[in-house]
Amino acid sequence: MLVPIAAAFGFVGLATFIASGHSFDFDRSLVLIFREAGDPSTPIGPAWLREAMRDVSGLGSFVGLGMMTIAATLTLWLCGFRHLAVGLTLSVVTATLVSTGLKIAFGRERPDIVAHTALTFTASFPSGHAFLSAVTLLSIAGFIGLASRRPDITRVCLWLAWFMIIMIGISRVYLGVHWPTDVIAGWCLGVAWSSLAVAYLGRRMAESEKSLVQAVAPAEQPTR
């Protein structure tokens, strides 16, 4: 539990600093690292890399994460883990509402030192892509782990989830639509949120599934 607690404190610290009107020097430096020297309107790398980064960023959009959530929820539901399916949906939907509320509350402006290479419609802090990708992917990994009860499957899901989460966050800074602290704050809040969802909501749902199976099993045994 130390990691989610540290993540929660990390988010609170960043949020307090941003709300007070302060800024971080490394925010500007890291954004410019991903731009051509002397031409901040052009991201570094060949054209295919810029296109790939836009594709990666799209995985963390409402559409991309929504499709992942629907696929995972339907899989859990059809496999008989209906309580877990409901719990996963609840975790992601409430996180989406919280993300929107936080953006409105903080109202931080997007980076203005480089040209954006992706469209944006909301405020900058915290990064919705970073926060919601962490919540969605880590919750999916955790809930699938609870359903499978296999540590190897859980580990594979977590490694894949973290790879995607990190790449999505980096893509947002690369495209110039987020400050690095927006992404870090989103990751921190996402880790804390998903850990809480899996540890409490997920485990309670899993226990409900287990109790239901135990209650139904005797009734399904043939009478002699």
Side-chain angles (χ1 to χ4, degrees):
M1 288 297 292
L2 291 179
V3 172
I5 292 174
F9 276 105
F11 172 77
V12 172
L14 285 171
T16 302
F17 202 82
I18 297 300
S20 64
H22 293 81
S23 60
F24 294 87
D25 291 336
F26 73 85
D27 263 344
R28 180 185 179 90
S29 300
L30 289 179
V31 169
L32 291 175
I33 282 177
F34 291 104
R35 298 290 162 144
E36 294 287 351
D39 184 12
S41 65
T42 305
I44 60 174
W48 64 261
L49 179 60
R50 295 193 288 272
E51 189 63 25
M53 282 297 185
R54 280 191 286 268
D55 291 340
V56 170
S57 178
L59 295 174
S61 66
F62 286 121
V63 174
L65 295 176
M67 294 299 292
M68 295 181 203
T69 302
I70 291 172
T73 299
L74 286 177
T75 299
L76 288 171
W77 185 276
L78 294 175
C79 289
F81 299 98
R82 298 188 174 183
H83 288 83
L84 287 174
V86 172
L88 175 59
T89 302
L90 183 61
S91 173
V92 175
V93 170
T94 52
T96 302
L97 296 176
V98 169
S99 176
T100 301
L102 288 173
K103 284 179 173 291
I104 294 173
F106 286 96
R108 190 186 194 187
E109 295 294 329
R110 299 272 180 170
D112 56 359
I113 59 175
V114 298
H116 298 176
T117 51
L119 294 176
T120 57
F121 304 98
T122 58
S124 192
F125 186 91
S127 167
H129 279 63
F131 171 42
L132 294 178
S133 65
V135 170
T136 302
L137 295 172
L138 292 178
S139 292
I140 289 175
F143 278 65
I144 288 178
L146 289 172
S148 67
R149 300 179 186 176
R150 288 183 52 179
D152 56 340
I153 291 178
T154 303
R155 283 194 296 269
V156 170
C157 289
L158 285 173
W159 278 111
L160 290 173
W162 270 113
F163 176 76
M164 292 179 65
I165 290 166
I166 292 172
M167 290 304 299
I168 289 170
I170 292 174
S171 74
R172 300 304 284 172
V173 179
Y174 177 90
L175 296 173
V177 295
H178 272 298
W179 301 106
T181 45
D182 297 334
V183 173
I184 295 172
W187 283 339
C188 287
L189 185 58
V191 168
W193 185 288
S194 59
S195 297
L196 190 65
V198 173
Y200 293 97
L201 182 60
R203 291 190 186 282
R204 288 190 177 186
M205 294 297 184
E207 288 298 322
S208 297
E209 298 283 3
K210 185 177 180 180
S211 299
L212 180 61
V213 170
Q214 291 175 343
V216 172
E220 292 180 345
Q221 293 179 356
T223 57
R224 297 181 180 178

